[in-house]
Amino acid sequence: MCGIVGIIEKNSSVSPLIHEALKRLEYRGYDSAGIATIHQNSICIKKDKGKIDEIHQKLDLDSLPGRIGIGHTRWATHGLPSKINAHPHLDCTKKIAVVHNGIIENFLELREDLERRHRFESETDTEVIPHLIEEIILKTRCDLYTATRKALQKIRGTYAIVVIYVEEPNVLVCARNESPLVIGIGKNANYCASDITALLPFTKKIALLNDGEIAAINYDKIHVETINGEVVVKPEIYDISWSPEMAQKGGYPHFMLKEIHEQPHALTGTLLIRPEIIDQVARALNDSKKLYITAAGTSNHAGLAGKYMFSKLSALQSQAIISSEFQESTTNLIDQDTTILAISQSGETADTLNAVRFAKNNGAKIISVTNVMGSTISRLSDLTLYTQAGPEIGVAATKTFIVQLASLALISLQIAEIRGVLESREVDQLREGLMQTPKIVEKTLKKEESLVRDIAYEYAYKPNFLFLGRGISTTTAMEGSLKLKEIAYIHSEAYPAGESKHGPIALIEPGFPVVFITPPDETHEKIIGNIMEVKARGAKIISIAEQNDHDIKKLSDKIISIPPTPTPFSPITYIVPLQLLAYYIATKRGFDPDKPRNLAKSVTVL
Ligand code: F6R
């Protein structure tokens, strides 16, 4: 995944700024990092294995001189995390430096050829880029911009890159193809980075670069063209409303905890999305002859919950397919009568973008739900609904999940109204109930957090967990289980509770923790039976139930109470204790929940 940044300033030194931007990008990868600047006719470079703070302590990243520079924080793909494999990478003359996010698919053949004339230092795919550029400049005596363009024409794969060259110390060259990159416009300074949050301390004016575009960035101007066609492009410019503080911890020990506590606010903002937009999306979905929902990870769980809401509230048929399996599952099924509802908080997940591109190429209409303005998914879509969670930095998705659910709830109610499935009175009542969810989440956080922490500490060293729910609560179970797995590294499985007797129940032995999600909906009676089945085999029962649910209380070893929530919207409120459970187990075990091992926030590889 990796985070990249480039900064050019008229007057001051850029390394402290690049360092700051890299800290904000660290969620994208944190196994190594580096910065390169140009000063007195040479490249100055510091890079190493480890997290940025560790590297800074060792090398003092801010001391690099120069008014132009690039930086990188890495999530390894080609080559182990090491100093040598850390970016930036240089050419043989040590005059060209490159940072890259993405994967160069034909790097082996390029490298084989280049190795006859160039000396490679790392195992990365990236290193072919500086050597290619070096060779083109040497052969054709062209400038960096032209050489980079020509080099990129030889490259297949995904990339966002930034390049600097000692002989041209007044220009950053950057380009993108299927990896995110935005340009920031400042005063006597310009910037580029993998995402907007990295640039928030410097500017809120953002120019969007499209796939297949290359830019030359000076401190006072920006020039954009297509990589292949040499067509000059006027980039769209956005004023971003996010503040730099929104991307800081604000007194919390971790971004994840801060973001869990921001959920009432994020929900309120999302529930206030303009009704015209909800109506537009609802009508587009209602008009579809075939509707597929696609997403990855946590967003996929929101999509699955959306499928339940569409069926239950709107009588609208849809199929939810995980993005990485989308193409294979829908071969010969996508055509002009198809609508895709693609959900991605970042809008940059390669699997989801791949599914969207595949569907689009087959004539489908694309509707997206994303949290990031101008993200790739929004640019591939016919219509986009922006959730209002603000920047999410913790690698584990929390607040973006519940705003996705809230958006889907709003859409499903609107479809119900359009189709006349529910009476206006019923729709109004449900809407009213939905509007209460920020308060319910707030109350739950206030009243239940210390109980959840105690439970987490008691169960922190159990090697396995099972999460069970029925109906829409199956999706809550799946999300709770994913949270625990990804940040606390505990093996856990989620199942529809009714299915547990077909296999998973064999795992149960005395003391095995099973988390039940038991809102008082039409599944309630049946799930009581499922609780009894595992209880009879010695399981420890942790339930998330509506307050005053005495039946569930009697059967549970631990019970976490949620104020009444309109039942089809229960995932919005019932997920909150499960997020806290994972958080407190992870921290009790000494793990950093903001930077779980092997993961990165924005997964831009297939
Ligand atoms: C889990 C998590 C991931 C993402 C997934 C999709 O906590 O964050 O599973 O949900 O990588 O990301 P987006 O929503 O950006 O497409």
Short mmCIF file of all heavy atoms in Angstrom, two decimals, residues 12-65:
data_model
loop_
_atom_site.label_atom_id
_atom_site.label_comp_id
_atom_site.label_asym_id
_atom_site.label_seq_id
_atom_site.Cartn_x
_atom_site.Cartn_y
_atom_site.Cartn_z
N SER A 12 11.63 27.71 2.38
CA SER A 12 12.13 26.97 3.56
C SER A 12 12.44 25.51 3.27
O SER A 12 12.06 24.96 2.23
CB SER A 12 11.13 27.10 4.70
OG SER A 12 9.84 26.95 4.21
N SER A 13 13.05 24.92 4.26
CA SER A 13 13.47 23.52 4.15
C SER A 13 12.25 22.59 4.27
O SER A 13 11.34 22.82 5.07
CB SER A 13 14.48 23.29 5.28
OG SER A 13 14.46 21.97 5.67
N VAL A 14 12.21 21.55 3.46
CA VAL A 14 11.00 20.73 3.39
C VAL A 14 11.03 19.47 4.26
O VAL A 14 9.98 18.87 4.50
CB VAL A 14 10.69 20.28 1.93
CG1 VAL A 14 10.24 21.45 1.09
CG2 VAL A 14 11.85 19.53 1.31
N SER A 15 12.21 19.06 4.76
CA SER A 15 12.24 17.75 5.42
C SER A 15 11.32 17.66 6.65
O SER A 15 10.64 16.64 6.84
CB SER A 15 13.67 17.31 5.75
OG SER A 15 14.29 18.26 6.55
N PRO A 16 11.21 18.73 7.50
CA PRO A 16 10.27 18.59 8.64
C PRO A 16 8.82 18.44 8.15
O PRO A 16 8.03 17.75 8.79
CB PRO A 16 10.44 19.90 9.42
CG PRO A 16 11.72 20.50 8.94
CD PRO A 16 11.93 20.01 7.55
N LEU A 17 8.51 19.08 7.02
CA LEU A 17 7.14 18.99 6.50
C LEU A 17 6.88 17.59 5.94
O LEU A 17 5.81 17.00 6.14
CB LEU A 17 6.89 20.03 5.40
CG LEU A 17 7.29 21.48 5.71
CD1 LEU A 17 6.91 22.39 4.56
CD2 LEU A 17 6.58 21.94 6.99
N ILE A 18 7.87 17.06 5.25
CA ILE A 18 7.71 15.71 4.70
C ILE A 18 7.56 14.71 5.84
O ILE A 18 6.72 13.82 5.81
CB ILE A 18 8.90 15.34 3.78
CG1 ILE A 18 8.90 16.25 2.56
CG2 ILE A 18 8.84 13.88 3.36
CD1 ILE A 18 10.07 16.08 1.62
N HIS A 19 8.37 14.92 6.88
CA HIS A 19 8.29 14.05 8.06
C HIS A 19 6.86 14.09 8.64
O HIS A 19 6.25 13.06 8.93
CB HIS A 19 9.34 14.54 9.07
CG HIS A 19 9.31 13.83 10.38
ND1 HIS A 19 9.97 14.29 11.48
CD2 HIS A 19 8.68 12.71 10.79
CE1 HIS A 19 9.76 13.47 12.50
NE2 HIS A 19 8.98 12.50 12.10
N GLU A 20 6.32 15.31 8.77
CA GLU A 20 4.97 15.45 9.33
C GLU A 20 3.92 14.76 8.44
O GLU A 20 3.04 14.05 8.93
CB GLU A 20 4.63 16.94 9.47
CG GLU A 20 3.27 17.12 10.11
CD GLU A 20 2.97 18.56 10.51
OE1 GLU A 20 3.83 19.44 10.35
OE2 GLU A 20 1.83 18.78 10.98
N ALA A 21 4.06 14.96 7.14
CA ALA A 21 3.10 14.32 6.22
C ALA A 21 3.22 12.79 6.30
O ALA A 21 2.21 12.08 6.29
CB ALA A 21 3.36 14.80 4.79
N LEU A 22 4.44 12.30 6.43
CA LEU A 22 4.63 10.84 6.50
C LEU A 22 3.98 10.27 7.75
O LEU A 22 3.41 9.18 7.73
CB LEU A 22 6.12 10.48 6.50
CG LEU A 22 6.84 10.59 5.16
CD1 LEU A 22 8.31 10.19 5.32
CD2 LEU A 22 6.19 9.73 4.09
N LYS A 23 4.05 11.02 8.85
CA LYS A 23 3.40 10.54 10.08
C LYS A 23 1.91 10.33 9.82
O LYS A 23 1.30 9.41 10.32
CB LYS A 23 3.56 11.57 11.21
CG LYS A 23 4.93 11.63 11.82
CD LYS A 23 5.29 10.42 12.65
CE LYS A 23 4.35 10.16 13.81
NZ LYS A 23 4.48 8.78 14.33
N ARG A 24 1.34 11.25 9.05
CA ARG A 24 -0.10 11.15 8.76
C ARG A 24 -0.41 10.04 7.76
O ARG A 24 -1.55 9.64 7.61
CB ARG A 24 -0.60 12.49 8.20
CG ARG A 24 -0.63 13.55 9.26
CD ARG A 24 -0.81 14.93 8.68
NE ARG A 24 -0.89 15.88 9.76
CZ ARG A 24 -2.03 16.29 10.31
NH1 ARG A 24 -3.17 15.87 9.83
NH2 ARG A 24 -2.00 17.13 11.31
N LEU A 25 0.61 9.60 7.06
CA LEU A 25 0.40 8.54 6.08
C LEU A 25 0.80 7.17 6.62
O LEU A 25 0.67 6.17 5.92
CB LEU A 25 1.24 8.81 4.82
CG LEU A 25 0.77 9.95 3.93
CD1 LEU A 25 1.81 10.24 2.85
CD2 LEU A 25 -0.57 9.63 3.26
N GLU A 26 1.28 7.16 7.85
CA GLU A 26 1.87 5.93 8.37
C GLU A 26 0.87 4.79 8.41
O GLU A 26 1.25 3.61 8.34
CB GLU A 26 2.47 6.18 9.76
CG GLU A 26 3.61 5.24 10.06
CD GLU A 26 4.31 5.54 11.37
OE1 GLU A 26 3.81 6.39 12.14
OE2 GLU A 26 5.35 4.91 11.62
N TYR A 27 -0.43 5.12 8.51
CA TYR A 27 -1.44 4.05 8.53
C TYR A 27 -1.39 3.23 7.23
O TYR A 27 -1.91 2.13 7.17
CB TYR A 27 -2.84 4.65 8.71
CG TYR A 27 -3.33 5.42 7.51
CD1 TYR A 27 -3.99 4.79 6.47
CD2 TYR A 27 -3.13 6.79 7.42
CE1 TYR A 27 -4.41 5.48 5.36
CE2 TYR A 27 -3.55 7.49 6.31
CZ TYR A 27 -4.19 6.83 5.28
OH TYR A 27 -4.61 7.52 4.17
N ARG A 28 -0.77 3.76 6.19
CA ARG A 28 -0.75 3.06 4.91
C ARG A 28 0.36 2.01 4.84
O ARG A 28 0.45 1.25 3.88
CB ARG A 28 -0.56 4.06 3.76
CG ARG A 28 -1.69 5.06 3.65
CD ARG A 28 -1.42 6.03 2.52
NE ARG A 28 -1.38 5.34 1.24
CZ ARG A 28 -2.44 5.06 0.50
NH1 ARG A 28 -3.63 5.41 0.91
NH2 ARG A 28 -2.31 4.43 -0.64
N GLY A 29 1.22 2.03 5.84
CA GLY A 29 2.35 1.10 5.84
C GLY A 29 3.36 1.62 6.83
O GLY A 29 3.50 2.84 6.97
N TYR A 30 4.02 0.70 7.55
CA TYR A 30 4.91 1.20 8.60
C TYR A 30 6.05 0.25 8.86
O TYR A 30 6.45 0.05 9.98
CB TYR A 30 4.14 1.50 9.89
CG TYR A 30 2.91 0.63 10.11
CD1 TYR A 30 3.02 -0.64 10.66
CD2 TYR A 30 1.65 1.09 9.73
CE1 TYR A 30 1.90 -1.44 10.85
CE2 TYR A 30 0.53 0.30 9.90
CZ TYR A 30 0.64 -0.98 10.46
OH TYR A 30 -0.46 -1.76 10.63
N ASP A 31 6.56 -0.39 7.79
CA ASP A 31 7.70 -1.29 8.04
C ASP A 31 9.04 -0.63 7.75
O ASP A 31 10.07 -1.11 8.18
CB ASP A 31 7.53 -2.63 7.33
CG ASP A 31 7.39 -2.50 5.83
OD1 ASP A 31 8.14 -1.72 5.24
OD2 ASP A 31 6.53 -3.19 5.25
N SER A 32 9.04 0.48 7.01
CA SER A 32 10.27 1.24 6.78
C SER A 32 9.85 2.59 6.20
O SER A 32 8.72 2.76 5.75
CB SER A 32 11.20 0.51 5.83
OG SER A 32 10.49 0.11 4.67
N ALA A 33 10.78 3.54 6.22
CA ALA A 33 10.43 4.87 5.71
C ALA A 33 11.70 5.60 5.30
O ALA A 33 12.81 5.20 5.69
CB ALA A 33 9.68 5.67 6.77
N GLY A 34 11.53 6.67 4.52
CA GLY A 34 12.69 7.45 4.13
C GLY A 34 12.33 8.77 3.49
O GLY A 34 11.18 8.98 3.07
N ILE A 35 13.31 9.66 3.47
CA ILE A 35 13.13 10.97 2.84
C ILE A 35 14.37 11.25 2.00
O ILE A 35 15.49 10.92 2.39
CB ILE A 35 12.98 12.09 3.91
CG1 ILE A 35 11.71 11.87 4.74
CG2 ILE A 35 12.96 13.47 3.26
CD1 ILE A 35 11.47 12.93 5.83
N ALA A 36 14.16 11.89 0.82
CA ALA A 36 15.30 12.37 0.03
C ALA A 36 15.03 13.82 -0.35
O ALA A 36 13.89 14.18 -0.68
CB ALA A 36 15.47 11.53 -1.23
N THR A 37 16.06 14.64 -0.28
CA THR A 37 15.93 16.05 -0.68
C THR A 37 17.07 16.36 -1.66
O THR A 37 18.01 15.57 -1.80
CB THR A 37 16.05 16.99 0.53
OG1 THR A 37 17.31 16.74 1.16
CG2 THR A 37 14.93 16.79 1.52
N ILE A 38 16.94 17.53 -2.28
CA ILE A 38 18.07 17.99 -3.12
C ILE A 38 18.70 19.19 -2.43
O ILE A 38 18.00 20.13 -2.03
CB ILE A 38 17.58 18.40 -4.53
CG1 ILE A 38 16.94 17.22 -5.25
CG2 ILE A 38 18.76 18.97 -5.34
CD1 ILE A 38 16.39 17.55 -6.63
N HIS A 39 20.02 19.14 -2.28
CA HIS A 39 20.72 20.26 -1.67
C HIS A 39 22.13 20.32 -2.26
O HIS A 39 22.81 19.30 -2.34
CB HIS A 39 20.79 20.07 -0.15
CG HIS A 39 21.42 21.22 0.56
ND1 HIS A 39 20.89 22.49 0.54
CD2 HIS A 39 22.56 21.28 1.31
CE1 HIS A 39 21.66 23.29 1.26
NE2 HIS A 39 22.68 22.59 1.72
N GLN A 40 22.53 21.51 -2.65
CA GLN A 40 23.87 21.74 -3.20
C GLN A 40 24.25 20.67 -4.22
O GLN A 40 25.26 19.98 -4.10
CB GLN A 40 24.89 21.80 -2.07
CG GLN A 40 24.65 23.01 -1.20
CD GLN A 40 25.66 23.15 -0.09
OE1 GLN A 40 26.39 22.21 0.25
NE2 GLN A 40 25.71 24.33 0.50
N ASN A 41 23.37 20.55 -5.18
CA ASN A 41 23.67 19.69 -6.31
C ASN A 41 23.84 18.20 -5.99
O ASN A 41 24.51 17.50 -6.74
CB ASN A 41 24.94 20.20 -7.01
CG ASN A 41 24.81 20.06 -8.51
OD1 ASN A 41 23.67 19.91 -9.00
ND2 ASN A 41 25.92 20.07 -9.21
N SER A 42 23.24 17.78 -4.90
CA SER A 42 23.23 16.32 -4.69
C SER A 42 21.98 15.89 -3.93
O SER A 42 21.28 16.72 -3.34
CB SER A 42 24.50 15.86 -3.97
OG SER A 42 24.55 16.46 -2.73
N ILE A 43 21.71 14.58 -4.02
CA ILE A 43 20.57 14.02 -3.28
C ILE A 43 21.03 13.72 -1.86
O ILE A 43 22.06 13.08 -1.64
CB ILE A 43 20.11 12.70 -3.93
CG1 ILE A 43 19.61 12.90 -5.35
CG2 ILE A 43 19.08 11.98 -3.04
CD1 ILE A 43 18.16 13.21 -5.53
N CYS A 44 20.28 14.23 -0.88
CA CYS A 44 20.55 13.89 0.53
C CYS A 44 19.46 12.89 0.92
O CYS A 44 18.27 13.16 0.67
CB CYS A 44 20.41 15.11 1.42
SG CYS A 44 21.35 16.51 0.82
N ILE A 45 19.83 11.81 1.53
CA ILE A 45 18.82 10.76 1.78
C ILE A 45 18.99 10.14 3.16
O ILE A 45 20.13 9.93 3.62
CB ILE A 45 18.88 9.69 0.66
CG1 ILE A 45 17.74 8.68 0.78
CG2 ILE A 45 20.20 8.99 0.60
CD1 ILE A 45 17.50 7.86 -0.48
N LYS A 46 17.85 9.89 3.83
CA LYS A 46 17.87 9.13 5.09
C LYS A 46 16.73 8.14 5.01
O LYS A 46 15.58 8.54 4.75
CB LYS A 46 17.67 10.07 6.28
CG LYS A 46 18.86 10.97 6.52
CD LYS A 46 18.74 11.75 7.81
CE LYS A 46 20.03 12.56 8.00
NZ LYS A 46 20.06 13.32 9.22
N LYS A 47 17.02 6.89 5.25
CA LYS A 47 15.96 5.89 5.24
C LYS A 47 16.39 4.71 6.09
O LYS A 47 17.57 4.49 6.32
CB LYS A 47 15.65 5.43 3.80
CG LYS A 47 16.78 4.77 3.05
CD LYS A 47 16.30 4.38 1.65
CE LYS A 47 17.33 3.57 0.90
NZ LYS A 47 16.83 3.07 -0.37
N ASP A 48 15.40 3.96 6.57
CA ASP A 48 15.74 2.79 7.39
C ASP A 48 14.51 1.91 7.56
O ASP A 48 13.40 2.31 7.22
CB ASP A 48 16.25 3.22 8.77
CG ASP A 48 17.27 2.22 9.33
OD1 ASP A 48 17.22 1.04 8.92
OD2 ASP A 48 18.10 2.62 10.16
N LYS A 49 14.75 0.77 8.17
CA LYS A 49 13.67 -0.14 8.55
C LYS A 49 13.03 0.39 9.83
O LYS A 49 13.72 0.98 10.66
CB LYS A 49 14.29 -1.51 8.80
CG LYS A 49 13.34 -2.59 9.11
CD LYS A 49 14.08 -3.88 9.35
CE LYS A 49 13.13 -4.84 10.02
NZ LYS A 49 13.67 -6.11 10.30
N GLY A 50 11.73 0.16 10.02
CA GLY A 50 11.08 0.54 11.27
C GLY A 50 10.01 1.58 11.07
O GLY A 50 9.73 2.00 9.94
N LYS A 51 9.40 1.96 12.20
CA LYS A 51 8.36 2.99 12.14
C LYS A 51 9.03 4.37 12.07
O LYS A 51 10.20 4.51 12.46
CB LYS A 51 7.46 2.88 13.37
CG LYS A 51 6.66 1.59 13.34
CD LYS A 51 5.69 1.48 14.49
CE LYS A 51 4.93 0.16 14.35
NZ LYS A 51 4.44 -0.35 15.60
N ILE A 52 8.28 5.36 11.65
CA ILE A 52 8.87 6.68 11.40
C ILE A 52 9.52 7.25 12.67
O ILE A 52 10.63 7.79 12.61
CB ILE A 52 7.82 7.64 10.82
CG1 ILE A 52 7.44 7.14 9.42
CG2 ILE A 52 8.35 9.07 10.73
CD1 ILE A 52 6.20 7.75 8.85
N ASP A 53 8.83 7.11 13.82
CA ASP A 53 9.40 7.67 15.06
C ASP A 53 10.75 7.04 15.39
O ASP A 53 11.68 7.74 15.79
CB ASP A 53 8.44 7.44 16.23
CG ASP A 53 7.29 8.43 16.22
OD1 ASP A 53 7.38 9.42 15.46
OD2 ASP A 53 6.31 8.21 16.94
N GLU A 54 10.81 5.73 15.20
CA GLU A 54 12.07 5.04 15.50
C GLU A 54 13.18 5.54 14.56
O GLU A 54 14.31 5.81 14.99
CB GLU A 54 11.92 3.52 15.29
CG GLU A 54 10.94 2.85 16.26
CD GLU A 54 10.39 1.51 15.74
OE1 GLU A 54 10.82 1.02 14.67
OE2 GLU A 54 9.51 0.98 16.42
N ILE A 55 12.82 5.68 13.29
CA ILE A 55 13.83 6.12 12.31
C ILE A 55 14.27 7.56 12.62
O ILE A 55 15.45 7.90 12.58
CB ILE A 55 13.27 6.02 10.87
CG1 ILE A 55 12.90 4.56 10.57
CG2 ILE A 55 14.26 6.54 9.84
CD1 ILE A 55 12.14 4.36 9.27
N HIS A 56 13.28 8.38 12.97
CA HIS A 56 13.59 9.79 13.27
C HIS A 56 14.52 9.89 14.48
O HIS A 56 15.46 10.69 14.49
CB HIS A 56 12.29 10.56 13.50
CG HIS A 56 12.50 12.00 13.82
ND1 HIS A 56 13.23 12.84 13.00
CD2 HIS A 56 12.09 12.75 14.87
CE1 HIS A 56 13.25 14.05 13.54
NE2 HIS A 56 12.57 14.03 14.68
N GLN A 57 14.23 9.07 15.48
CA GLN A 57 15.08 9.10 16.68
C GLN A 57 16.53 8.76 16.34
O GLN A 57 17.46 9.35 16.86
CB GLN A 57 14.56 8.07 17.67
CG GLN A 57 14.22 8.70 18.98
CD GLN A 57 13.62 7.69 19.93
OE1 GLN A 57 13.67 6.47 19.71
NE2 GLN A 57 13.04 8.21 20.99
N LYS A 58 16.66 7.84 15.43
CA LYS A 58 17.99 7.36 15.05
C LYS A 58 18.69 8.33 14.10
O LYS A 58 19.88 8.60 14.22
CB LYS A 58 17.80 6.01 14.34
CG LYS A 58 18.93 5.04 14.51
CD LYS A 58 18.47 3.63 14.20
CE LYS A 58 19.14 3.13 12.94
NZ LYS A 58 18.61 1.84 12.51
N LEU A 59 17.92 8.88 13.14
CA LEU A 59 18.58 9.59 12.03
C LEU A 59 18.29 11.09 11.96
O LEU A 59 18.90 11.79 11.16
CB LEU A 59 18.13 8.97 10.69
CG LEU A 59 18.41 7.48 10.48
CD1 LEU A 59 17.82 7.03 9.14
CD2 LEU A 59 19.90 7.20 10.49
N ASP A 60 17.35 11.57 12.74
CA ASP A 60 16.89 12.96 12.68
C ASP A 60 16.49 13.36 11.25
O ASP A 60 17.23 14.05 10.53
CB ASP A 60 17.98 13.92 13.20
CG ASP A 60 17.42 15.34 13.30
OD1 ASP A 60 16.21 15.53 13.03
OD2 ASP A 60 18.20 16.26 13.62
N LEU A 61 15.32 12.91 10.88
CA LEU A 61 14.84 13.15 9.50
C LEU A 61 14.71 14.63 9.18
O LEU A 61 14.86 15.05 8.03
CB LEU A 61 13.46 12.47 9.32
CG LEU A 61 13.46 10.94 9.35
CD1 LEU A 61 12.04 10.40 9.44
CD2 LEU A 61 14.17 10.37 8.11
N ASP A 62 14.46 15.47 10.22
CA ASP A 62 14.23 16.89 9.97
C ASP A 62 15.49 17.64 9.59
O ASP A 62 15.44 18.80 9.17
CB ASP A 62 13.64 17.56 11.23
CG ASP A 62 12.27 16.99 11.57
OD1 ASP A 62 11.74 16.23 10.75
OD2 ASP A 62 11.75 17.31 12.65
N SER A 63 16.63 17.00 9.76
CA SER A 63 17.87 17.75 9.52
C SER A 63 18.31 17.72 8.05
O SER A 63 19.29 18.35 7.69
CB SER A 63 18.99 17.17 10.40
OG SER A 63 19.21 15.83 9.99
N LEU A 64 17.56 17.01 7.22
CA LEU A 64 17.94 17.00 5.80
C LEU A 64 17.73 18.39 5.20
O LEU A 64 16.63 18.94 5.31
CB LEU A 64 17.07 15.99 5.04
CG LEU A 64 17.45 14.52 5.15
CD1 LEU A 64 16.32 13.66 4.61
CD2 LEU A 64 18.73 14.24 4.38
N PRO A 65 18.73 18.97 4.56
CA PRO A 65 18.55 20.31 4.00
C PRO A 65 17.89 20.25 2.61
O PRO A 65 17.89 19.19 1.98
CB PRO A 65 19.99 20.82 3.88
CG PRO A 65 20.80 19.58 3.68
CD PRO A 65 20.09 18.45 4.37
#
